[in-house]
Amino acid sequence: MSKNTRRHTAQPTPNPEQVAAIRRLAENGDIEQARRRLAALRKSFPGFKPLLGLAWEIEDLGDEPARATARALEWQQASPNSRAAVEAVCDSARLAGFFMLFARAADRLSEMDGKAGTALPASIDNPLGTLTPEQALAMDLSRMHLDDNNTAAAIATLQGVDHPSAKNNLALAWFADGHVRQALAVAEANWQAQPNNLFALGDIVRWRCWLKGMSPSVDLKAPLQHAVPLRAEDAIAQVLGLRFLGDEAAVAQAWAKADRAAFWAHTTRDQRTVFQGLQDPLATWPGSSAAWLPRKWLDAYRNALAAHQVLNSALLEQQDQAFAVVCDAHTDYLVRVIQMGDEIGRHLAFSVLKERAKHQGEAVREALISLLKSPAGSDSMRMDVLRWMTEEDILSKSTPVDVWTNGEIRTIRSSGWTISGEPLPSPFPPEGTELNARALTAMHEGHLTLAFDLFTQLHQRYPEKPSPLANMASIKEALKHNPQAIKDLYQQAHALAPDYLFARCGLARSLAKEGHLEEAESLLVPVMDRTQFHSSEARTFLMTQYDLALARGDRQLAAQLEQSLAVLLDGE
């Protein structure tokens, strides 16, 4: 071997089956698992560049064009002469609407083909002010980083970029990073310099409320209402801002004016769809919980939960409490999140208020009572709040409460029941408990014939227990079998255990269908004085009372019971 001969150590590579398994996960739609498996593999093989291409594939298959663009750029930076990497940037940037990134990637492809690239314009028209190509590129990169949950990179990219749209994104990046005061400062200065920038004004409305409550936000209603939107995003921000302030009349007026604007001819279908959806006062707020709460905090919350293989109520409560320590949003803002946010946003905002109620009871109480009376949000959300307030004795169970429900203010009195969702203790030994669980699962999943067979086996093994008979009768009711057969089963169960609620209620329903209303109602009398129920018991009792009310022709009582049943079902 000559002195000039070099020894090359082969770079370790992953097992091809490992790579194929990750690709299959992504192709089957399990994007999160594919991401996790790939991240672990990249730690073991940091220099293996094909994994960068696989990272792009995963995001592309997951229909995440912004994140796919980020992965494609990482791939291109590591392999600048890879045509596949440049094509990936080109394809994903086009899908994500990152037009400057797309143009640069397309130019690079032309260069690889030995062709002259397309000359980029010296400036790009924008209603908020002309953009230079460098500013447009920074805008694309900042949007990409925000969608990729990389707020630090978005902030760094936008520093020093002097354009209203760039500053809009910088304010969003500061908010996503948890710096609400900094976000508001950027947005306020941006709007003062460009009063038609309704995108900034919409953010100011919310972030003022975050820091100081609704009063400073209400001061912005007039400029928000009377400004003329220049772009689709401004029209959307105007409608959302007025809705946040609770003025649906102003929302309707602003929506109607903007709907006729000329700029819709040059916007995306997605923007038009979002705007059209906002005509409905109960429309879901566009975007995810990150529109309401800092993405950095949400990611920390999700990651903390994901670190545990098994979730339970204690772990969830622990993380909720940790979030409440971090979240400094004003109570007025949290009420708005409960009314208008998505599921996780509502959950976290309510969790913060629950913690605050321990120390700021009266302030939280007044805010939640206002929430109950407001038409904003869903009826089920208001009933959830009412239920919690009565359970925690923030409201007395005996005190009538005004609640907006079914399109009007109604006075509701709590039933005074204590309802538990904890599993009922099994009446069977271990082997019977397992068979009972299988039967209940089959019944809940709609496999009624299988469930009936399993409950029959359970009854044969434990003839002294009433629940198999009651469940067999319940299945026959669902299948609309012979009424006498149903009644016989309920009678047998009731004879075994007269205090067993499911048998007592089932027998009452059977008697009512036969016209024996007095006898049916007498069966329910001993239950009337109960104050503690399992949720399934309460549901069965209310359904039975509802059936008896209909049998008597008492439609008013039936409607009240139907409402109580709906509240209970929402809580489950």
Side-chain angles (χ1 to χ4, degrees):
M1 182 182 293
S2 69
K3 294 181 180 179
N4 293 328
T5 301
R6 297 181 179 177
R7 294 181 179 230
H8 294 282
T9 303
Q11 184 183 43
T13 61
N15 186 320
E17 179 51 35
Q18 290 178 292
V19 175
I22 293 173
R23 184 174 284 112
R24 283 196 298 273
L25 283 171
E27 289 171 345
N28 292 330
D30 196 347
I31 301 300
E32 283 300 325
Q33 182 66 6
R35 287 173 181 156
R36 287 193 289 269
R37 294 274 293 276
L38 178 60
L41 199 61
R42 288 181 67 178
K43 286 181 180 179
S44 300
F45 303 96
F48 190 62
K49 293 180 182 178
L51 294 182
L52 295 171
L54 180 58
W56 169 77
E57 282 186 60
I58 290 171
E59 302 304 338
D60 185 55
L61 287 167
D63 196 23
E64 294 273 5
R67 297 185 71 161
T69 304
R71 302 293 81 76
L73 283 174
E74 292 170 356
W75 183 14
Q76 185 192 10
Q77 288 164 3
S79 303
N81 296 319
S82 167
R83 184 180 185 86
V86 180
E87 288 176 341
V89 175
C90 197
D91 291 344
S92 295
R94 177 181 58 82
L95 290 171
F98 301 149
F99 297 115
M100 188 56 64
L101 280 171
F102 166 74
R104 294 204 171 195
D107 265 3
R108 175 62 178 142
L109 286 176
S110 296
E111 181 184 323
M112 287 178 160
D113 292 336
K115 300 176 183 178
T118 303
L120 295 175
S123 62
I124 301 166
D125 290 338
N126 183 288
L128 296 182
T130 301
L131 281 162
T132 67
E134 291 74 19
Q135 290 174 331
L137 178 63
M139 289 286 296
D140 280 356
L141 288 170
S142 68
R143 287 166 53 207
M144 179 193 76
H145 289 315
L146 281 172
D147 287 343
D148 194 36
N149 296 347
N150 192 346
T151 54
I155 292 169
T157 298
L158 292 168
Q159 292 292 347
V161 181
D162 189 16
H163 189 275
S165 293
K167 291 176 181 177
N168 284 343
N169 281 9
L170 180 59
L172 290 177
W174 280 119
F175 179 77
D177 207 47
H179 298 280
V180 183
R181 200 171 297 278
Q182 181 71 24
L184 179 60
V186 172
E188 294 262 18
N190 200 20
W191 174 60
Q192 292 292 340
Q194 178 63 274
N196 282 328
N197 186 354
L198 296 185
F199 187 94
L201 184 55
D203 287 338
I204 295 167
V205 167
R206 295 199 310 278
W207 296 339
R208 278 190 180 183
C209 183
W210 176 295
L211 292 172
K212 296 183 179 180
M214 189 61 81
S215 182
S217 298
V218 172
D219 294 339
L220 297 171
K221 179 182 171 181
L224 184 63
Q225 185 174 4
H226 299 303
V228 177
L230 302 177
R231 308 169 301 160
E233 46 265 61
D234 292 319
I236 292 169
Q238 182 183 43
V239 169
L240 290 175
L242 292 169
R243 179 156 289 156
F244 183 89
L245 294 174
D247 191 338
E248 281 301 323
V251 167
Q253 186 178 34
W255 189 95
K257 287 181 179 179
D259 187 48
R260 301 189 295 268
F263 52 69
W264 293 114
H266 311 290
T267 57
T268 67
R269 182 181 299 176
D270 287 347
Q271 286 177 316
R272 186 63 171 162
T273 300
V274 168
F275 180 78
Q276 291 293 329
L278 294 178
Q279 189 176 18
D280 179 3
L282 297 180
T284 303
W285 194 280
S288 66
S289 47
W292 291 99
L293 299 167
R295 191 189 304 267
K296 192 172 187 178
W297 299 358
L298 292 168
D299 287 345
Y301 178 83
R302 291 189 183 102
N303 292 338
L305 293 177
H308 299 268
Q309 292 184 343
V310 179
L311 293 180
N312 54 51
S313 57
L315 174 62
L316 186 62
E317 183 178 359
Q318 179 184 358
Q319 294 305 319
D320 288 349
Q321 290 172 347
F323 187 89
V325 171
V326 174
C327 184
D328 60 351
H330 194 281
T331 295
D332 290 350
Y333 185 89
L334 295 172
V335 166
R336 273 297 191 237
V337 181
I338 294 171
Q339 292 173 318
M340 300 178 175
D342 67 350
E343 184 175 355
I344 189 170
R346 291 195 302 270
H347 171 82
L348 289 171
F350 201 10
S351 297
V352 176
L353 288 182
K354 287 177 181 179
E355 285 299 306
R356 287 189 189 171
K358 299 174 183 177
H359 314 290
Q360 307 171 23
E362 189 57 31
V364 172
R365 181 181 184 276
E366 292 303 316
L368 292 180
I369 286 176
S370 297
L371 179 152
L372 294 176
K373 298 177 182 178
S374 169
S378 67
D379 286 354
S380 62
M381 172 274 296
R382 282 182 285 276
M383 291 306 176
D384 285 342
V385 172
L386 176 60
R387 185 180 303 108
W388 176 77
M389 292 178 76
T390 54
E391 287 174 353
E392 296 297 317
D393 291 328
I394 294 173
L395 288 176
S396 170
K397 291 183 174 66
S398 60
T399 302
V401 182
D402 288 340
V403 180
W404 181 276
T405 182
N406 293 327
E408 62 182 7
I409 288 286
R410 294 188 178 186
T411 300
I412 294 177
R413 186 186 297 273
S414 170
S415 65
W417 291 353
T418 299
I419 299 176
S420 168
E422 294 297 318
L424 291 168
S426 172
F428 305 103
E431 61 272 21
T433 297
E434 192 275 336
L435 180 58
N436 187 52
R438 286 171 53 204
L440 289 171
T441 299
M443 185 165 68
H444 293 155
E445 292 179 353
H447 306 303
L448 299 184
T449 302
L450 172 61
F452 188 86
D453 291 339
L454 294 173
F455 282 124
T456 300
Q457 294 177 38
L458 198 63
H459 169 60
Q460 290 168 349
R461 293 187 192 181
Y462 307 99
E464 76 284 2
K465 301 295 184 183
S467 62
L469 289 165
N471 282 315
M472 290 160 66
S474 177
I475 292 171
K476 281 184 172 289
E477 272 192 290
L479 294 173
K480 301 189 183 304
H481 281 189
N482 182 279
Q484 186 60 50
I486 295 168
K487 179 184 174 184
D488 289 345
L489 287 169
Y490 277 131
Q491 279 182 321
Q492 292 178 55
H494 182 59
L496 288 172
D499 291 331
Y500 185 57
L501 182 140
F502 299 99
R504 180 179 287 273
C505 287
L507 182 55
R509 290 196 302 275
S510 292
L511 290 167
K513 289 174 184 176
E514 293 178 346
H516 304 304
L517 282 175
E518 189 171 330
E519 186 178 356
E521 289 173 347
S522 69
L523 278 171
L524 298 187
V525 170
V527 189
M528 295 295 184
D529 293 331
R530 277 186 58 172
T531 58
Q532 296 189 358
F533 290 84
H534 184 266
S535 58
S536 61
E537 293 177 319
R539 181 174 64 249
T540 298
F541 185 42
L542 285 172
M543 289 175 65
T544 303
Q545 288 181 299
Y546 173 78
D547 286 345
L548 267 60
L550 286 181
R552 284 195 305 271
D554 191 343
R555 297 193 174 277
Q556 183 176 2
L557 177 58
Q560 293 174 359
L561 290 165
E562 187 175 28
Q563 185 177 357
S564 298
L565 186 59
V567 171
L568 179 66
L569 292 175
D570 283 336
E572 294 179 347

